[in-house]
Amino acid sequence: MSENVRELSFSGAVQEALAVAMENDPRVFLMGEDIGVYGGAFQVTGDLVHRFGEDRVMDTPISELGGAGVAVGAAVAGARPVYEFQFSDFASLAMEQIVNQAAKMRFMLGGKVSVPVVFRMPCGSGTGAAAQHSQSLEAWFGHVPGLKVVEAATPEDAKGLLLAAIEDPDPVLVFEHKLLYKIKGHVPEGHYTTPIGKALVRRQGKDATVVAAAIMVHKALEAAEVLAGEGIDIEVIDLRTIRPIDTATIIESVKKTTRLACVYEGVKTLGIGAEISALIAESEAFDYLDAPIMRLGGAESPIPYSPILEKAAVPQTDDIVAGLRNLVKGRI
Amino acid sequence: MAAKSATKSVEQGRNLRPFYANHTPEQLKEALRRMWLVRRFEEMAEESYIRGLTHGTMHLSIGQEASAVGICLELTDKDYITSTHRGHGHCIGKGAEVKYMFAEFFGKEEGYCRGRGGSMHIADPATGNLGANGIVGGGLPLATGAALAIKKRGSKDVAVCFFGDGANNEGAFHESLNIAAVWKLPVIYVCENNQYGMSVSTERSTAVKDVATRAAAYNMPGVIVDGNSIADVNEAMTAAMERARNGEGPTLIECKTYRTRGHSRSDRNRYRSKEEIESWKGKDPIPAFEDELMALGILTQADVEGVRAGVEKDIQDGFDFATKGTNPEPSSLLRGVYTTGDAA
């Protein structure tokens, strides 16, 4: 019983995944800025340097292109590096190595190498860190064949997806929404993986499907609770993997509920919601739709500093409630 | 190729410079053979292009063969290299077979990259060749990372990063050399300074006269060699290898050289004079090496001619092999995008 309710924070779950991976596989090591004695900008690596030593928890210079690229090179040469970007925004400094090298190397070389590198990507707004430290860039990387992109909503999946990413033979970007680091939840002990490429229905419902990831899953679940009081029954899908996307689960759900809302923090235009909308429009689920597809995404602006504006820049629970109410009752 | 053995080296006691004293006649002959292979491979590749047998582009290293072969002479299959868009020489220097290179050129399944890479991505991971790279400076972090993996497994191997003068102005150069020096990684940075980044001379692009002087900023040795002398190149490499294997960290070797062909197929040579090109053709590293080998009595004229004839046969056989290769099936397009789910 007590084992079943063991709770960890999201960041604690990530740290536990890193520890389990390093215990199980001597090839696994961590690289990043201030991940050693400092413990990481968000205290995710914490005291791992004391448990595993500086050779496996390596502080890098402030040098994202070099650090990320060294991780890619080490992966090709047989190591299992996990590179932490202090903020996922800084991956823009390392795009060359992620997009041109890591993503394409196996393909360009005729399938003769694998690039088992993991990039940890703390992302998202809500911390008052303004425009260069708050972005949600999952869709950028999801656009690149050769990369895999995952994003957990719960501590349990944070651990399971990260372990799956580290054991995966291909490059995986693991997005971690910063506002989730402190949430707590059940986390199984020891080793387990959450499969990459599988979404999860977090809440069953019959009136509309919400597809969301990371923090938006929580907001969607809150919205669903509010709407349940009004007799509206919402199904919430936790995407968990952005690439490769689990089309089957989404199509199945939309056929049942006949309505679709895509809720995501990244900028609305050309974002994750565009892809999900399109895949439904192209699928047999299209004929089941009783309302136009709805997208609730980030504003067409950089993330502002002012807390009032910052909230206005990404979908909040109230926005989701209003949107879904309209989706279910407003039309048809 | 490596594994020089002092026992059978060119006779001792003749006051030969280390390059000749420390390699066997067989090793030196093989080095000459590889230089010719690079030259003839590229000439044949150029001809194939002109005849319409290949598409895309290619970057020829004709005139730069001494640095590719002189560096790789010391490497085994366990040592890594990363290469550049001008990488045919590095590939052959590292031991690649020209028939699979031609096949790659012609976009065939038999090619090193099954026709997916082409000239700019030829690689042979099985022999430590992590590939040519289409991004200027792209290989710098990769070689540095391969060196980190070597250090972590505690072996005495090294990683070599070939790059051009153009790459030394990329941020990846600064970041990679700094990390390698801080972590004392067994990596050797080989700058083949052929004096032009596409059309812009180093004089117009680079604030220092010699790329090697930038090594001082990373607290590592910066060595300038005549890149058209295989002996000069190899002796600098030997010292850098020793330093890397002793755990002392990286070295930057700058090979001063010249490409006598244009940057790529689109180049009309408007940025340099015919006289300049002709003067460098007079410093061709291959005949210079042949002359030295014969002057030292290491090879005879007949030996040299034998090497050239052998190369001609390899080139012709390789070309024939490649032209008979298999075209990829369109249905196989997605193979190699991911490891998971890949049908080997």
Side-chain angles (χ1 to χ4, degrees), chain B residues 260-277:
Chain B
T260 52
R261 292 295 199 279
H263 162 74
S264 69
R265 298 306 314 163
S266 65
D267 190 340
R268 284 174 289 176
N269 274 321
R270 285 182 170 175
Y271 51 90
R272 53 185 192 174
S273 66
K274 278 208 166 70
E275 293 71 32
E276 182 183 298
I277 298 170

Side-chain angles (χ1 to χ4, degrees), chain B residues 299-315:
Chain B
L299 295 186
T300 64
Q301 181 71 39
D303 292 333
V304 167
E305 279 162 17
V307 166
R308 292 185 202 160
V311 165
E312 282 316 306
K313 184 174 181 335
D314 285 351
I315 293 295

